[in-house]
Amino acid sequence: MTQKEIARRGLMLVLSSPSGAGKTTLSQKLLSSDNGIVMSISVTTRPPRSREVDGRDYHFISEEQFERLVEQNALLEHAFVFGHRYGTPKELVDVELEKGRDVLFDIDWQGTQQLDESARDDLVKTFVLPPSWDELEMRLRARAQDSNDVVKSRMSKAVDEMSHWAEYDYVIVNRDIDHALSQIMSILLAERLKRKRQIGLSEFVKNLNPNL
Amino acid sequence: MTQKEIARRGLMLVLSSPSGAGKTTLSQKLLSSDNGIVMSISVTTRPPRSREVDGRDYHFISEEQFERLVEQNALLEHAFVFGHRYGTPKELVDVELEKGRDVLFDIDWQGTQQLDESARDDLVKTFVLPPSWDELEMRLRARAQDSNDVVKSRMSKAVDEMSHWAEYDYVIVNRDIDHALSQIMSILLAERLKRKRQIGLSEFVKNLNPNL
């Protein structure tokens, strides 16, 4: 029996940050460099955009289906954004956690607070800070190619998101994407070694010596 | 300001294991591969053995000095072993933690329990398990070159120590020394990224944007 085979319960890794801090790139790099973690797929009432695939980007469902999930208490968190509803289905996450696979969440502080209430023991909350405010503004401007007003509104949303950094377990500064990725990998690897997540440890120790 | 310069409080990394599980080798490798962590140096009333250096291996002190430290509540933990007293001086550890340096402890479950009471927030408790009982016995026999009775008594001490694995935050199986070292490094790196240990974060965030 190798250590890999000690049964473990998966964890829920939350990455939050103001937009422009590099969270999306970090998520993609993390998913492609580690086989043990998958992206959480939300349900939404929003219609699919071009190139979006049902079951890969989102599970696209009707208002009625969404309402039923809320009534059944089947969502770990949900939100209403620009006229559409979004949520995280509990069952899809549980299936992964029970298989010993980790689930990655790219959500804001409000979603994180809801997850904290519905799934605290499985949650690992990480906040990604930008290295400087100028750099954040530059990234948002480059991305937006929009009017000053749009950039201003995004910056104010960034301030709001960032004000919640102290609600997180871990905080990293994304100065260099590869260094930030290695920091997230360390957090993930360490959290997998937490005793409470290694649910097969009692059995492993009993097999070592029946007196234990 | 680089992330390294965000002030942090050091942590106390405890490694416990039955003897023969490779803890001493792991400690030495960890100390030589990371500049941010130093070994805790105990005080003891035992006389120095040949090659032991005062202030490097132990701080050798008198019974009276030891007694005074106990009375002043200046020890984080202490124990009486084979007629001699051993203890961890609080002040020496605090100086390192305040400089943002981590301190490594190679202690048993009893010492760990005392540290838990005196310094819980700074403590990261890691237990190292052997891959198999046969291997543990083999290592103890090889080391002892002693009578069966001595080996038996060591094995029974190993069972006692190992029975406390569930009191630790992290558990690793030392199947391969380099893999085990990388796991301990991940734990150390992740724990350094805990928000609560990065005491300079508020200032860093305020410098990012005065509205925060």
Side-chain angles (χ1 to χ4, degrees):
Chain A
M1 198 200 268
T2 70
Q3 177 151 27
K4 264 186 204 140
E5 289 160 12
I6 291 177
R8 72 173 183 92
R9 178 166 170 84
L11 56 89
M12 296 162 63
L13 180 65
V14 166
L15 292 187
S16 294
S17 80
S19 80
K23 181 180 51 169
T24 307
T25 310
L26 275 173
S27 297
Q28 285 161 353
K29 279 181 178 269
L30 179 62
L31 291 168
S32 64
S33 53
D34 190 287
N35 285 328
I37 189 163
V38 296
M39 194 78 201
S40 163
I41 300 171
S42 298
V43 293
T44 183
T45 60
R46 161 168 88 56
R49 294 180 188 146
S50 65
R51 297 200 189 175
E52 281 184 342
V53 176
D54 188 31
R56 186 194 67 184
D57 300 292
Y58 287 96
H59 299 284
F60 296 99
I61 63 176
S62 68
E63 286 281 350
E64 294 68 36
Q65 287 172 307
F66 197 101
E67 203 44 60
R68 209 170 314 132
L69 290 175
V70 173
E71 276 164 22
Q72 291 166 348
N73 199 22
L75 297 177
L76 289 172
E77 56 85 34
H78 58 98
F80 189 75
V81 184
F82 294 129
H84 298 295
R85 310 190 72 179
Y86 298 82
T88 301
K90 196 185 276 185
E91 204 188 328
L92 295 181
V93 174
D94 275 347
V95 165
E96 299 295 340
L97 299 185
E98 276 164 28
K99 280 191 289 192
R101 298 227 291 177
D102 306 316
V103 183
L104 180 63
F105 293 82
D106 173 348
I107 53 174
D108 66 8
W109 67 270
Q110 282 159 315
T112 305
Q113 280 190 353
Q114 289 182 53
L115 289 186
D116 218 345
E117 284 166 12
S118 54
R120 183 60 193 114
D121 286 347
D122 294 318
L123 212 59
V124 177
K125 299 181 293 180
T126 303
F127 201 87
V128 182
L129 289 172
S132 77
W133 203 253
D134 288 352
E135 186 143 341
L136 191 78
E137 191 161 350
M138 211 178 63
R139 289 188 200 164
L140 284 182
R141 275 189 196 284
R143 183 184 298 183
Q145 299 183 319
D146 277 324
S147 69
N148 268 340
D149 277 3
V150 172
V151 172
K152 251 191 193 163
S153 127
R154 289 184 187 186
M155 290 306 283
S156 118
K157 198 160 170 291
V159 171
D160 174 51
E161 183 68 23
M162 213 144 97
S163 71
H164 292 273
W165 66 272
E167 295 158 29
Y168 287 73
D169 304 314
Y170 297 94
V171 177
I172 69 170
V173 178
N174 184 12
R175 206 174 298 280
D176 169 85
I177 195 85
D178 290 320
H179 185 59
L181 177 66
S182 79
Q183 291 184 315
I184 293 176
M185 283 299 300
S186 289
I187 292 168
L188 183 61
L189 295 176
E191 287 284 343
R192 287 174 179 167
L193 293 168
K194 285 245 173 103
R195 173 187 45 78
K196 64 174 186 180
R197 304 198 196 285
Q198 298 189 69
I199 53 182
L201 266 175
S202 302
E203 198 195 334
F204 176 80
V205 172
K206 275 253 171 282
N207 283 335
L208 275 182
N209 185 315
N211 294 326
L212 286 165
Chain B
M1 198 200 271
T2 70
Q3 177 151 26
K4 265 186 203 140
E5 289 159 12
I6 292 177
R8 73 173 182 92
R9 178 166 170 84
L11 56 88
M12 295 161 65
L13 180 65
V14 166
L15 292 186
S16 294
S17 78
S19 80
K23 182 181 48 167
T24 307
T25 311
L26 275 173
S27 297
Q28 286 162 354
K29 280 181 178 270
L30 179 62
L31 291 169
S32 63
S33 53
D34 190 287
N35 285 330
I37 189 163
V38 294
M39 194 78 201
S40 163
I41 301 171
S42 299
V43 292
T44 183
T45 60
R46 162 167 88 56
R49 293 180 188 145
S50 63
R51 297 198 191 176
E52 281 184 343
V53 177
D54 187 33
R56 186 194 70 186
D57 300 291
Y58 287 95
H59 298 284
F60 296 98
I61 63 176
S62 68
E63 286 282 348
E64 293 69 36
Q65 286 173 308
F66 197 102
E67 204 44 59
R68 210 172 311 132
L69 290 175
V70 172
E71 276 165 22
Q72 291 167 348
N73 200 22
L75 297 178
L76 290 171
E77 56 85 34
H78 58 98
F80 188 76
V81 184
F82 294 129
H84 298 295
R85 310 189 71 178
Y86 298 81
T88 301
K90 195 185 276 182
E91 203 188 327
L92 294 181
V93 173
D94 275 347
V95 164
E96 298 296 340
L97 300 184
E98 276 163 29
K99 281 191 289 191
R101 298 227 291 177
D102 306 317
V103 183
L104 180 63
F105 293 82
D106 171 348
I107 53 174
D108 66 8
W109 68 270
Q110 283 160 312
T112 305
Q113 280 189 354
Q114 289 183 53
L115 289 186
D116 219 346
E117 284 165 12
S118 53
R120 183 62 192 112
D121 287 347
D122 294 318
L123 212 59
V124 176
K125 298 180 295 179
T126 303
F127 201 88
V128 182
L129 289 172
S132 78
W133 204 252
D134 288 352
E135 186 143 343
L136 191 78
E137 191 161 351
M138 211 178 61
R139 289 186 198 165
L140 284 182
R141 274 187 196 285
R143 183 184 297 183
Q145 298 184 319
D146 278 324
S147 68
N148 267 339
D149 276 3
V150 173
V151 172
K152 250 191 193 163
S153 127
R154 289 184 185 184
M155 290 306 283
S156 119
K157 200 161 170 287
V159 172
D160 174 53
E161 183 68 24
M162 213 145 97
S163 70
H164 292 273
W165 65 272
E167 294 157 30
Y168 287 73
D169 305 314
Y170 298 95
V171 177
I172 69 170
V173 178
N174 184 12
R175 206 173 298 279
D176 169 86
I177 194 86
D178 290 322
H179 185 60
L181 178 66
S182 80
Q183 292 184 315
I184 292 176
M185 284 297 301
S186 289
I187 292 168
L188 183 60
L189 295 176
E191 288 282 344
R192 286 174 178 165
L193 293 168
K194 285 246 173 101
R195 173 185 47 78
K196 65 174 183 178
R197 303 197 198 284
Q198 298 188 70
I199 53 182
L201 266 175
S202 303
E203 197 195 333
F204 177 79
V205 172
K206 276 252 171 283
N207 284 335
L208 275 183
N209 185 315
N211 295 326
L212 285 166

